[in-house]
Amino acid sequence: SQTIHQWPATLVQPVGSPLSLECTVEGTSNPNLYWYRQAAGRGLQLLFYSVGIGQISSEVPQNLSASRPQDRQFILSSKKLLLSDSGFYLCAWSAGPGGGYTFGSGTRLTVV
Amino acid sequence: ELKVEQNPLFLSMQEGKNYTIYCNYSTTSDRLYWYRQDPGKSLESLFVLLSNGAVKQEGRLMASLDTKARLSTLHITAAVHDLSATYFCAVAPGYSSASKIIFGSGTRLSIRP
């Protein structure tokens, strides 16, 4: 069966520090991968998605970036965090059109 | 640009009552998803609706899709406290080749005894 792993679960970082969040999927090949952010008490905002290695689509211009160095690995990064980057970051995968989207357990990021 | 609107945003209801959450979207789509989120947790998939007229039921929850009206409903029958959570709908823009899904703002459901 397929599983999705996301870490760390919780992160507190100072303003201006770098960020690296990792997401990996097991039990499938060539998944579509997604990064969403959820501000406190709000809906989900799509940040990036990828349909293959090295292929990244950015939905919202900001100081975050994403990379997909391997088929089942998706990384969210920032060189310098802002206070507004605080939120709940969720990674998701899907097998393609018509399939469901399965979410990881999330990373709660607080920028102080 | 696809916009997804849910209403109501907040709903407080008594156990045993029935209610419906609505999800409207602005552009053509043939795929709609419903998720549940408990406080501080990730999203749990409830339903995947892939065609006009699709209806799916799981326990006290029933979801339907009308692609012509660009509307999906999530109906709650005889609510129980365990159903208290935030419910999100999400829509894939365009037809089945689209890779991403866009979420509504969510409906926070509170069920009281």
Side-chain angles (χ1 to χ4, degrees):
Chain A
S1 64
Q2 302 89 4
T3 55
I4 179 169
H5 302 280
Q6 221 185 308
W7 67 92
T10 307
L11 194 58
V12 180
Q13 292 284 100
V15 169
S17 64
L19 173 73
S20 180
L21 301 181
E22 189 162 342
C23 172
T24 60
V25 180
E26 295 178 356
T28 187
S29 297
N30 197 30
N32 292 340
L33 296 171
Y34 308 84
W35 279 111
Y36 284 87
R37 178 171 62 197
Q38 186 178 33
R42 307 289 293 276
L44 278 80
Q45 179 186 39
L46 179 61
L47 302 175
F48 302 94
Y49 69 97
S50 171
V51 299
I53 295 175
Q55 300 179 59
I56 308 294
S57 296
S58 174
E59 291 293 302
V60 183
Q62 56 205 318
N63 70 320
L64 298 172
S65 63
S67 62
R68 186 170 176 173
Q70 299 180 47
D71 181 43
R72 291 169 289 176
Q73 183 186 31
F74 204 24
I75 297 172
L76 183 69
S77 304
S78 173
K79 292 181 180 178
K80 288 185 177 182
L81 284 169
L82 306 172
L83 285 174
S84 58
D85 291 324
S86 293
F88 192 39
Y89 288 81
L90 289 157
C91 180
W93 79 274
S94 76
Y101 292 70
T102 302
F103 284 80
S105 54
T107 295
R108 192 163 304 281
L109 171 67
T110 304
V111 183
V112 296
Chain B
E1 181 187 343
L2 172 63
K3 292 194 185 304
V4 182
E5 293 185 355
Q6 284 182 242
N7 69 84
L9 297 182
F10 299 96
L11 178 56
S12 178
M13 54 192 292
Q14 277 188 310
E15 280 192 327
K17 300 290 188 182
N18 304 333
Y19 210 84
T20 301
I21 299 171
Y22 297 89
C23 175
N24 291 90
Y25 52 96
S26 61
T27 65
T28 302
S29 175
D30 60 354
R31 286 186 289 145
L32 191 137
Y33 305 80
W34 283 98
Y35 289 89
R36 168 181 172 147
Q37 186 179 37
D38 292 304
K41 303 292 186 182
S42 184
L43 274 72
E44 173 190 353
S45 178
L46 294 175
F47 301 108
V48 180
L49 303 170
L50 298 177
S51 61
N52 185 42
V55 177
K56 291 197 175 179
Q57 183 165 4
E58 180 73 33
R60 300 174 187 274
L61 300 178
M62 183 173 71
S64 65
L65 177 61
D66 182 344
T67 58
K68 291 184 170 61
R70 298 179 184 170
L71 171 69
S72 179
T73 60
L74 180 65
H75 187 73
I76 303 151
T77 302
V80 294
H81 178 70
D82 285 352
L83 290 178
S84 296
T86 299
Y87 292 85
F88 291 94
C89 65
V91 180
Y95 289 102
S96 296
S97 60
S99 297
K100 61 185 180 183
I101 56 174
I102 305 300
F103 280 79
S105 300
T107 296
R108 188 176 299 177
L109 176 63
S110 174
I111 298 169
R112 59 186 189 277

